[in-house]
Amino acid sequence: MAGRGEPPEGAPEGSPNGDDEYRSVVFDESFIRAARLQEYSARERLGGDHAHAAVRSLPPKHVRRGRRRGFMRGPRQALVLLLVVALAFGTAIYLGVRSPYRPSTHGTAEALRMTVIPLAPAGRVPGGTPDDLFAHSPAAQFRAGASGITLPGVRGTRSFTESQVVAALTTVKDYLVASSLDPDVLAGRTVRPVRALLDPDQLTQFDRSFSTPADDGRHVPAGWLVRFDPAKVAPAADEVRVHGTLRVEETGPGILEVSSDHTFVYALRPATSSAEPVRDASLFTVRRELRFRFDQNDLAKHQAELLLSQAQVGPQACSAAPPRTLRPLLAGARTTVAERPPGTNPFATGPIGTGLCGMLSTGAEPKP
């Protein structure tokens, strides 16, 4: 029988035994592991016998797979990270621009400081028809109602655009109309139109001024608005004569202040009088000098912080304590004072004084 390595017919003649022939060529396990695969490049394979075969060694399979994965993973991770950063940055910008809850730049609003100076008549209060009284007073050249509150020329400031300055002036005009011309406010039927225009931080002081008024320079109703007692006086004419000025100034970074100085002249008569035409009317003058403060938040909400309120009102008795309403002296009335106060003209320009009382004078020319 033929050996295990021989063909069935036996080993070829003249050839050595198969096992003997390959006995010297033995590949042990360490030799196999150390062997490297060699692969020709495409150009070398196409070149045939005319090209010199350059041999490139391939790295192990797990190394090549890791390189491909690393190459693909790097750019993708960078792209995802870039998208996340861009999305977060865009979201922050959007929320910063669109959020309506912007904090105030100057913190809590200050308490309003106010002064109300009564002006006593020099003699009897003149009476007559509203037309005659207006014609013979400096108010003859004043406009009627809100048309007397005119806006000045407007331009932007360092922190505020022109439209924002206009918004501040418009809010001040709305406040003057609501607090000095609104018939329901003048008659004491409501305070809401005025209250709605104030900074929320000042509402506690505002409410206390009407619930428990006090002569402390903080809680006098006339510091906020003009109000008469409907049981004692009534309007003798449909119009109120108005004249004054508005001035704008940026007083600090992000802080805009508007100062107003206006004189309001009312034609009044006794509440019990109903005769027509009205012949027992008298004029009552209120000069109001107010200073308002705005920041970006106030402008967005159409509200203002009222910093200062100074008023001269007359004819009114100097002895009257600050009441819930003004107390005009009507036609034919007079009052006595222990010491004659200095004459005060509510139609004149210039700062309002700080005295406790004045003598009503209307001899000066009206404001230009």
Side-chain angles (χ1 to χ4, degrees):
M1 176 179 291
R4 184 177 52 183
E6 297 174 357
E9 63 275 11
E13 186 177 1
S15 65
N17 184 271
D19 290 340
D20 294 336
E21 180 181 359
Y22 296 102
R23 187 177 306 274
S24 60
V25 183
V26 178
F27 303 116
D28 57 10
E29 184 176 356
S30 60
F31 177 83
I32 295 174
R33 290 181 177 180
R36 294 188 306 169
L37 295 176
Q38 295 181 344
E39 181 180 354
Y40 296 110
S41 65
R43 179 175 297 177
E44 292 165 352
R45 291 196 297 272
L46 291 175
D49 296 336
H50 302 286
H52 177 72
V55 180
R56 294 182 300 168
S57 299
L58 296 178
K61 184 181 293 184
H62 70 279
V63 175
R64 285 178 284 163
R65 186 182 298 113
R67 288 180 181 176
R68 289 196 299 269
R69 290 179 180 178
F71 174 77
M72 296 301 295
R73 187 184 299 115
R76 289 180 180 178
Q77 287 180 340
L79 179 60
V80 172
L81 180 60
L82 180 61
L83 290 176
V84 171
V85 172
L87 180 61
F89 186 73
T91 302
I93 294 178
Y94 177 83
L95 293 178
V97 172
R98 299 292 297 175
S99 176
Y101 305 102
R102 297 179 183 177
S104 174
T105 58
H106 65 271
T108 304
E110 299 178 10
L112 169 61
R113 296 175 289 114
M114 59 184 70
T115 303
V116 180
I117 304 173
L119 303 178
R124 292 185 182 275
V125 178
T129 65
D131 290 340
D132 288 342
L133 293 172
F134 281 133
H136 294 85
S137 77
Q141 301 181 25
F142 291 2
R143 294 182 179 180
S147 62
I149 305 173
T150 57
L151 303 186
V154 176
R155 62 180 180 179
T157 67
R158 176 174 298 181
S159 304
F160 297 89
T161 64
E162 181 176 319
S163 61
Q164 289 176 321
V165 175
V166 171
L169 290 169
T170 302
T171 302
V172 170
K173 180 173 181 175
D174 291 344
Y175 186 93
L176 293 173
V177 170
S179 63
S180 307
L181 301 175
D182 188 312
D184 291 329
V185 172
L186 295 178
R189 291 187 289 266
T190 184
V191 297
R192 289 183 179 179
V194 181
R195 193 178 190 274
L197 294 170
L198 289 171
D199 189 298
D201 291 336
Q202 293 188 308
L203 296 183
T204 299
Q205 182 188 6
F206 179 87
D207 294 339
R208 182 182 168 186
S209 298
F210 294 91
S211 61
T212 55
D215 188 13
D216 58 359
R218 292 290 188 273
H219 302 93
V220 180
W224 302 96
L225 50 81
V226 178
R227 192 181 203 187
F228 303 110
D229 185 351
K232 297 182 178 180
V233 300
D238 294 333
E239 64 182 24
V240 179
R241 299 294 180 91
V242 185
H243 185 75
T245 59
L246 293 171
R247 183 171 56 87
V248 182
E249 180 183 7
E250 182 174 341
T251 59
I255 301 298
L256 193 69
E257 291 191 2
V258 178
S259 299
S260 68
D261 185 0
H262 289 79
T263 299
F264 302 84
V265 184
Y266 306 85
L268 304 175
R269 66 178 180 177
T272 57
S273 174
S274 59
E276 293 293 343
V278 178
R279 297 186 181 280
D280 56 352
S282 60
L283 299 184
F284 187 79
T285 304
V286 178
R287 181 186 174 190
R288 305 184 72 193
E289 185 176 340
L290 308 175
R291 188 163 79 244
F292 301 84
R293 173 184 288 172
F294 295 89
D295 61 11
Q296 300 287 351
N297 197 37
D298 294 324
L299 293 174
K301 294 182 177 181
H302 193 59
Q303 295 173 334
E305 178 185 345
L306 184 54
L307 295 177
L308 179 67
S309 172
Q310 295 179 299
Q312 295 172 336
V313 299
Q316 179 170 302
C318 290
S319 59
R324 298 177 187 272
T325 64
L326 297 174
R327 296 179 179 178
L329 293 174
L330 301 178
R334 64 187 306 165
T335 186
T336 58
V337 291
E339 296 183 4
R340 187 178 180 86
T344 303
N345 178 18
F347 297 94
T349 58
I352 292 180
T354 58
L356 299 178
C357 181
M359 186 66 68
L360 180 60
S361 170
T362 59
E365 294 295 325
K367 301 175 186 179

